[in-house]
Amino acid sequence: MLLFEGFPPEKLEVLAGQMSLRSHPANQAILLQNDWGNAVYFILEGWVKIRTHDLEGREITLTILGPGEVFGEMAALDEAPRSTDVIALTATKVSCLSAQHFLAFLASDAQAGIRLAQLMSRRLRQINRRLQLREASSTARVADILLFLAESRGRVSRGGVEIPNLPHRELSSLSGLARETVTRVLSKLEQEELIRRDRTREVLCIPQMEALEKLIG
């Protein structure tokens, strides 16, 4: 878990004893907007999306989280209802820690609070970067989403950096582009060998990150 890296085993054993495990199938809502923030969740397996809706009811995916990451912390911190939905993109396993125990953990170690602030700041910077590219070309916006996934969720392999081969509707929601546009851009990138899709393993491989970065300008 990213939040717990570097903490002594005895402290982590206490936390583990306070957690419960939950499993969710793909497409199931784990949390819903306006639910009360009485727990914090840590992803053990799978992928989730954090989403909201605009004034016209259209879905907006704010970010995608994977193994080792945390969600639900904001509502626990400010003791308020949740501001977004959390939906399982794949079969997902999470460990659940009560807000009371989570806040006690933060209060017990200043390093824990600093680590949480760093994770939240990184998430905010990623969202800000996407917002800054809203007027960029469709190719630049899709490339940015792929880089975002590679930088935060990627796994280095012999062929490059591998990321989950997400449904085009999720990439559409993340980038703010029509699904058809996303499909067209991905096909173009594949033809130019800037990406490779392995449909058997449901992964997308980026052979050279620098080549995608050049598309953003």
mmCIF file of all heavy atoms in Angstrom, residues 148-169:
data_model
loop_
_atom_site.group_PDB
_atom_site.id
_atom_site.type_symbol
_atom_site.label_atom_id
_atom_site.label_comp_id
_atom_site.label_asym_id
_atom_site.label_seq_id
_atom_site.Cartn_x
_atom_site.Cartn_y
_atom_site.Cartn_z
ATOM 1 N N PHE A 148 -0.995 9.360 -18.339
ATOM 2 C CA PHE A 148 -1.473 9.414 -16.958
ATOM 3 C C PHE A 148 -1.610 8.002 -16.385
ATOM 4 O O PHE A 148 -1.154 7.707 -15.273
ATOM 5 C CB PHE A 148 -2.812 10.150 -16.912
ATOM 6 C CG PHE A 148 -3.699 9.751 -15.767
ATOM 7 C CD1 PHE A 148 -3.355 10.039 -14.458
ATOM 8 C CD2 PHE A 148 -4.892 9.087 -16.005
ATOM 9 C CE1 PHE A 148 -4.173 9.651 -13.408
ATOM 10 C CE2 PHE A 148 -5.719 8.703 -14.969
ATOM 11 C CZ PHE A 148 -5.355 8.985 -13.669
ATOM 12 N N LEU A 149 -2.203 7.105 -17.152
ATOM 13 C CA LEU A 149 -2.357 5.729 -16.694
ATOM 14 C C LEU A 149 -1.004 5.035 -16.568
ATOM 15 O O LEU A 149 -0.779 4.265 -15.636
ATOM 16 C CB LEU A 149 -3.259 4.961 -17.660
ATOM 17 C CG LEU A 149 -4.727 5.402 -17.697
ATOM 18 C CD1 LEU A 149 -5.461 4.712 -18.837
ATOM 19 C CD2 LEU A 149 -5.410 5.113 -16.368
ATOM 20 N N ALA A 150 -0.097 5.319 -17.501
ATOM 21 C CA ALA A 150 1.224 4.697 -17.468
ATOM 22 C C ALA A 150 2.040 5.170 -16.268
ATOM 23 O O ALA A 150 2.724 4.375 -15.599
ATOM 24 C CB ALA A 150 1.976 4.978 -18.764
ATOM 25 N N GLU A 151 1.977 6.469 -15.995
ATOM 26 C CA GLU A 151 2.769 7.033 -14.905
ATOM 27 C C GLU A 151 2.270 6.589 -13.539
ATOM 28 O O GLU A 151 3.057 6.394 -12.610
ATOM 29 C CB GLU A 151 2.751 8.558 -15.004
ATOM 30 C CG GLU A 151 3.536 9.088 -16.206
ATOM 31 C CD GLU A 151 3.236 10.550 -16.501
ATOM 32 O OE1 GLU A 151 2.406 11.144 -15.781
ATOM 33 O OE2 GLU A 151 3.821 11.093 -17.454
ATOM 34 N N SER A 152 0.956 6.419 -13.410
ATOM 35 C CA SER A 152 0.412 6.099 -12.095
ATOM 36 C C SER A 152 0.013 4.641 -11.945
ATOM 37 O O SER A 152 -0.092 4.147 -10.821
ATOM 38 C CB SER A 152 -0.802 6.993 -11.806
ATOM 39 O OG SER A 152 -1.766 6.885 -12.834
ATOM 40 N N ARG A 153 -0.249 3.934 -13.050
ATOM 41 C CA ARG A 153 -0.706 2.561 -12.966
ATOM 42 C C ARG A 153 0.118 1.598 -13.818
ATOM 43 O O ARG A 153 -0.218 0.424 -13.921
ATOM 44 C CB ARG A 153 -2.164 2.429 -13.449
ATOM 45 C CG ARG A 153 -3.060 3.592 -13.107
ATOM 46 C CD ARG A 153 -3.583 3.549 -11.692
ATOM 47 N NE ARG A 153 -4.404 4.720 -11.433
ATOM 48 C CZ ARG A 153 -4.005 5.783 -10.776
ATOM 49 N NH1 ARG A 153 -2.774 5.828 -10.313
ATOM 50 N NH2 ARG A 153 -4.791 6.811 -10.554
ATOM 51 N N GLY A 154 1.148 2.096 -14.488
ATOM 52 C CA GLY A 154 1.875 1.279 -15.449
ATOM 53 C C GLY A 154 2.778 0.235 -14.826
ATOM 54 O O GLY A 154 3.227 0.364 -13.684
ATOM 55 N N ARG A 155 3.031 -0.815 -15.607
ATOM 56 C CA ARG A 155 3.957 -1.874 -15.206
ATOM 57 C C ARG A 155 4.992 -2.041 -16.312
ATOM 58 O O ARG A 155 4.645 -2.262 -17.473
ATOM 59 C CB ARG A 155 3.207 -3.192 -14.986
ATOM 60 C CG ARG A 155 4.085 -4.318 -14.464
ATOM 61 C CD ARG A 155 3.254 -5.575 -14.267
ATOM 62 N NE ARG A 155 2.838 -6.140 -15.552
ATOM 63 C CZ ARG A 155 3.585 -6.970 -16.270
ATOM 64 N NH1 ARG A 155 4.813 -7.306 -15.849
ATOM 65 N NH2 ARG A 155 3.137 -7.460 -17.412
ATOM 66 N N VAL A 156 6.251 -1.906 -15.952
ATOM 67 C CA VAL A 156 7.323 -1.994 -16.934
ATOM 68 C C VAL A 156 7.510 -3.450 -17.358
ATOM 69 O O VAL A 156 7.622 -4.350 -16.519
ATOM 70 C CB VAL A 156 8.641 -1.436 -16.358
ATOM 71 C CG1 VAL A 156 9.765 -1.595 -17.376
ATOM 72 C CG2 VAL A 156 8.466 0.026 -15.975
ATOM 73 N N SER A 157 7.526 -3.668 -18.677
ATOM 74 C CA SER A 157 7.740 -5.003 -19.235
ATOM 75 C C SER A 157 8.850 -4.921 -20.281
ATOM 76 O O SER A 157 9.386 -3.838 -20.555
ATOM 77 C CB SER A 157 6.450 -5.534 -19.871
ATOM 78 O OG SER A 157 6.153 -4.804 -21.050
ATOM 79 N N ARG A 158 9.157 -6.038 -20.902
ATOM 80 C CA ARG A 158 10.220 -6.048 -21.918
ATOM 81 C C ARG A 158 9.835 -5.205 -23.130
ATOM 82 O O ARG A 158 10.692 -4.635 -23.795
ATOM 83 C CB ARG A 158 10.489 -7.484 -22.358
ATOM 84 C CG ARG A 158 11.126 -8.353 -21.280
ATOM 85 C CD ARG A 158 11.286 -9.787 -21.752
ATOM 86 N NE ARG A 158 12.160 -9.866 -22.914
ATOM 87 C CZ ARG A 158 12.400 -10.989 -23.578
ATOM 88 N NH1 ARG A 158 11.810 -12.114 -23.181
ATOM 89 N NH2 ARG A 158 13.205 -10.985 -24.622
ATOM 90 N N GLY A 159 8.528 -5.087 -23.407
ATOM 91 C CA GLY A 159 8.083 -4.342 -24.585
ATOM 92 C C GLY A 159 7.764 -2.888 -24.343
ATOM 93 O O GLY A 159 7.447 -2.158 -25.284
ATOM 94 N N GLY A 160 7.853 -2.452 -23.090
ATOM 95 C CA GLY A 160 7.530 -1.061 -22.774
ATOM 96 C C GLY A 160 6.794 -0.971 -21.457
ATOM 97 O O GLY A 160 7.071 -1.733 -20.528
ATOM 98 N N VAL A 161 5.848 -0.045 -21.369
ATOM 99 C CA VAL A 161 5.045 0.129 -20.155
ATOM 100 C C VAL A 161 3.635 -0.365 -20.438
ATOM 101 O O VAL A 161 2.986 0.089 -21.389
ATOM 102 C CB VAL A 161 5.011 1.607 -19.714
ATOM 103 C CG1 VAL A 161 4.150 1.769 -18.464
ATOM 104 C CG2 VAL A 161 6.431 2.116 -19.447
ATOM 105 N N GLU A 162 3.152 -1.285 -19.625
ATOM 106 C CA GLU A 162 1.835 -1.865 -19.816
ATOM 107 C C GLU A 162 0.813 -1.209 -18.897
ATOM 108 O O GLU A 162 1.084 -0.969 -17.717
ATOM 109 C CB GLU A 162 1.860 -3.374 -19.557
ATOM 110 C CG GLU A 162 2.691 -4.149 -20.560
ATOM 111 C CD GLU A 162 2.638 -5.646 -20.321
ATOM 112 O OE1 GLU A 162 2.136 -6.045 -19.247
ATOM 113 O OE2 GLU A 162 3.088 -6.420 -21.193
ATOM 114 N N ILE A 163 -0.372 -0.934 -19.452
ATOM 115 C CA ILE A 163 -1.481 -0.378 -18.685
ATOM 116 C C ILE A 163 -2.726 -1.200 -19.001
ATOM 117 O O ILE A 163 -2.776 -1.907 -20.000
ATOM 118 C CB ILE A 163 -1.730 1.110 -19.020
ATOM 119 C CG1 ILE A 163 -2.087 1.277 -20.496
ATOM 120 C CG2 ILE A 163 -0.514 1.952 -18.650
ATOM 121 C CD1 ILE A 163 -2.458 2.700 -20.871
ATOM 122 N N PRO A 164 -3.759 -1.117 -18.155
ATOM 123 C CA PRO A 164 -4.998 -1.849 -18.461
ATOM 124 C C PRO A 164 -5.610 -1.342 -19.770
ATOM 125 O O PRO A 164 -5.633 -0.139 -20.023
ATOM 126 C CB PRO A 164 -5.912 -1.522 -17.272
ATOM 127 C CG PRO A 164 -4.998 -1.041 -16.201
ATOM 128 C CD PRO A 164 -3.844 -0.390 -16.873
ATOM 129 N N ASN A 165 -6.090 -2.263 -20.584
ATOM 130 C CA ASN A 165 -6.761 -1.898 -21.837
ATOM 131 C C ASN A 165 -8.216 -1.567 -21.512
ATOM 132 O O ASN A 165 -9.122 -2.383 -21.685
ATOM 133 C CB ASN A 165 -6.673 -3.056 -22.839
ATOM 134 C CG ASN A 165 -7.172 -2.655 -24.209
ATOM 135 O OD1 ASN A 165 -7.218 -1.477 -24.552
ATOM 136 N ND2 ASN A 165 -7.576 -3.635 -25.009
ATOM 137 N N LEU A 166 -8.440 -0.345 -21.027
ATOM 138 C CA LEU A 166 -9.758 0.057 -20.543
ATOM 139 C C LEU A 166 -10.757 0.166 -21.690
ATOM 140 O O LEU A 166 -10.382 0.464 -22.825
ATOM 141 C CB LEU A 166 -9.659 1.412 -19.835
ATOM 142 C CG LEU A 166 -8.803 1.467 -18.566
ATOM 143 C CD1 LEU A 166 -8.731 2.894 -18.060
ATOM 144 C CD2 LEU A 166 -9.391 0.557 -17.497
ATOM 145 N N PRO A 167 -12.038 -0.049 -21.394
ATOM 146 C CA PRO A 167 -13.061 0.183 -22.416
ATOM 147 C C PRO A 167 -12.981 1.609 -22.940
ATOM 148 O O PRO A 167 -12.658 2.538 -22.193
ATOM 149 C CB PRO A 167 -14.375 -0.066 -21.657
ATOM 150 C CG PRO A 167 -14.002 -0.928 -20.496
ATOM 151 C CD PRO A 167 -12.609 -0.513 -20.121
ATOM 152 N N HIS A 168 -13.308 1.789 -24.205
ATOM 153 C CA HIS A 168 -13.209 3.117 -24.806
ATOM 154 C C HIS A 168 -14.140 4.122 -24.135
ATOM 155 O O HIS A 168 -13.855 5.324 -24.109
ATOM 156 C CB HIS A 168 -13.501 3.037 -26.303
ATOM 157 C CG HIS A 168 -12.438 2.295 -27.056
ATOM 158 N ND1 HIS A 168 -12.421 2.187 -28.421
ATOM 159 C CD2 HIS A 168 -11.334 1.618 -26.621
ATOM 160 C CE1 HIS A 168 -11.368 1.478 -28.799
ATOM 161 N NE2 HIS A 168 -10.706 1.108 -27.721
ATOM 162 N N ARG A 169 -15.248 3.650 -23.576
ATOM 163 C CA ARG A 169 -16.160 4.579 -22.904
ATOM 164 C C ARG A 169 -15.502 5.194 -21.664
ATOM 165 O O ARG A 169 -15.799 6.335 -21.303
ATOM 166 C CB ARG A 169 -17.460 3.871 -22.509
ATOM 167 C CG ARG A 169 -17.315 2.797 -21.445
ATOM 168 C CD ARG A 169 -18.656 2.199 -21.056
ATOM 169 N NE ARG A 169 -18.503 1.159 -20.052
ATOM 170 C CZ ARG A 169 -18.264 -0.116 -20.336
ATOM 171 N NH1 ARG A 169 -18.165 -0.499 -21.607
ATOM 172 N NH2 ARG A 169 -18.135 -1.008 -19.370
#
